[in-house]
Amino acid sequence: MASVPFDQLDGEIWFNGAFVPWKDAKIHVLTHGLHYASAVFEGERAYGGRVFKLTEHNQRLHKSGDILGFKIPYSVAELDAATIELLKRQGFSEAYVRPIAWRGSEMMGVSAQNNRINVAIAIWQWGSYFNPAEKLKGIRLDIAEYRRPDPKTAPCASKAAGLYMICTISKHAAEAKGYADAMMLDYRGQVAEATGANIFFVKDGVIHTPTPDCFLNGITRQTVIELAKRRGLQVVERAIMPEELSEFSECFLTGSAAEVTPVSEIGPYRFTPASISETLMNDYMKEVYPTAAAAA
């Protein structure tokens, strides 16, 4: 976490096609995205001076905007180029990347058909999403009160800002009780994900993970599934009920921010980070670094 407020960091932000001083990247208080959550975003990481799966993230950003009913005014190639140049300007090799697109302040009200679609990219240094000491032994999760919504009630295939409101509430509630995060169920009562990461379980050497039919099929999730299959590990995507958690031996989370993070506890259920979690954690780190990927 930054030692100063995020609006006071040094450097530049790419803002609507131009590189502007960090402190000058501002929007008006009546911005539609602030009031009505008409915003989509991505979370990415740079390793060794390269943003991992940059194009895939920007493709998803475009898709998220389409689902919310607006077109991002910069192509995927333009966003890729802006990110690469901004990473150089910031002078970082290891960094977190946050592109975001939102409706502006031209109209105020639920309907805002003519509002400008603004786009910005910020890059800063951000270490492990979870405490490194906790990560090695497995983090502790609470079980969230709020659930991921029915796809008929929310645009769950979009990485939309509004869908993260219940994630913030759930993570804050978990942290207040001493947990690192919370596991969320879906509208059917099935296991869904953590507040900002996908979830996996291990039983008898087989990996089980919820089918992403009401939450994002994360880019890191897809990467880790591919890494597991390269190892000859079986991955089963299916509905998982919370009472099944007592049958699993290992559990881990995946996400651009979380990377691969073992879990030791979810409410009353206990897990022991072991060989599969450790193997995939190491394989993922080898995958994301350019030199390691080139040598593989």
Side-chain angles (χ1 to χ4, degrees):
M1 189 171 183
S3 58
V4 295
F6 272 84
D7 61 352
Q8 297 298 311
L9 295 179
D10 293 323
E12 294 178 301
I13 287 177
W14 186 85
F15 195 113
N16 286 334
F19 295 96
V20 302
W22 190 286
K23 296 176 184 177
D24 293 339
K26 299 176 181 178
I27 59 174
H28 195 270
V29 70
L30 293 182
T31 294
H32 195 273
L34 176 63
H35 292 256
Y36 298 102
S38 53
V40 296
F41 69 97
E42 281 294 317
E44 308 157 14
R45 276 195 186 272
Y47 299 91
R50 184 193 70 176
V51 180
F52 184 62
K53 296 200 171 179
L54 174 61
T55 297
E56 289 92 328
H57 279 286
N58 283 327
Q59 288 171 338
R60 189 171 68 179
L61 186 73
H62 268 257
K63 178 182 176 183
S64 292
D66 290 342
I67 292 171
L68 261 64
F70 64 72
K71 180 174 177 57
I72 293 175
Y74 300 94
S75 69
V76 169
E78 288 174 316
L79 295 174
D80 285 355
T83 304
I84 292 167
E85 177 60 24
L86 182 60
L87 185 63
K88 293 178 182 176
R89 285 172 175 255
Q90 290 294 86
F92 300 148
S93 177
E94 316 291 313
Y96 186 78
V97 182
R98 169 54 55 87
I100 183 167
W102 69 97
R103 287 192 174 97
S105 53
E106 289 77 13
M107 297 175 67
M108 179 49 59
V110 173
S111 178
Q113 301 283 2
N114 297 320
N115 284 31
R116 176 180 182 175
I117 304 303
N118 299 273
V119 185
I121 305 169
I123 298 177
W124 66 90
Q125 291 179 301
W126 188 20
S128 177
Y129 187 59
F130 296 107
N131 182 295
E134 287 187 11
K135 186 173 179 179
L136 291 172
K137 63 182 181 181
I139 63 169
R140 299 171 60 244
L141 307 185
D142 192 15
I143 298 177
E145 174 184 357
Y146 288 99
R147 298 184 174 191
R148 302 313 302 169
D150 186 328
K152 295 179 181 179
T153 67
C156 64
S158 173
K159 194 170 176 68
L163 293 175
Y164 284 79
M165 175 186 67
I166 57 174
C167 298
T168 296
I169 295 171
S170 299
K171 188 170 176 67
H172 284 182
E175 290 176 337
K177 292 189 280 186
Y179 293 95
D181 200 357
M183 182 190 75
M184 305 182 78
L185 304 178
D186 68 16
Y187 65 101
R188 298 162 295 201
Q190 299 172 4
V191 174
E193 59 180 350
T195 63
N198 292 123
I199 194 164
F200 290 79
F201 302 94
V202 178
K203 178 182 179 182
D204 298 329
V206 176
I207 299 171
H208 300 257
T209 188
T211 303
D213 57 1
C214 64
F215 56 88
L216 282 180
N217 180 11
I219 290 172
T220 306
R221 177 185 185 275
Q222 296 172 52
T223 301
V224 170
I225 289 175
E226 175 59 30
L227 291 172
K229 290 180 177 178
R230 286 186 207 170
R231 288 278 184 180
L233 295 168
Q234 183 181 358
V235 180
V236 179
E237 298 181 74
R238 65 178 180 85
I240 298 175
M241 299 305 296
E243 54 267 25
E244 292 184 65
L245 268 58
S246 62
E247 303 172 8
F248 298 119
S249 57
E250 296 181 57
C251 176
F252 57 89
L253 305 181
T254 65
S256 293
E259 298 167 321
V260 178
T261 298
V263 173
S264 62
E265 178 181 332
I266 303 177
Y269 305 103
R270 302 293 181 267
F271 311 93
T272 302
S275 60
I276 290 180
S277 298
E278 183 177 2
T279 295
L280 292 174
M281 185 164 51
N282 292 334
D283 284 356
Y284 182 74
M285 296 314 294
K286 291 176 183 176
E287 185 77 7
V288 298
Y289 274 98
T291 52

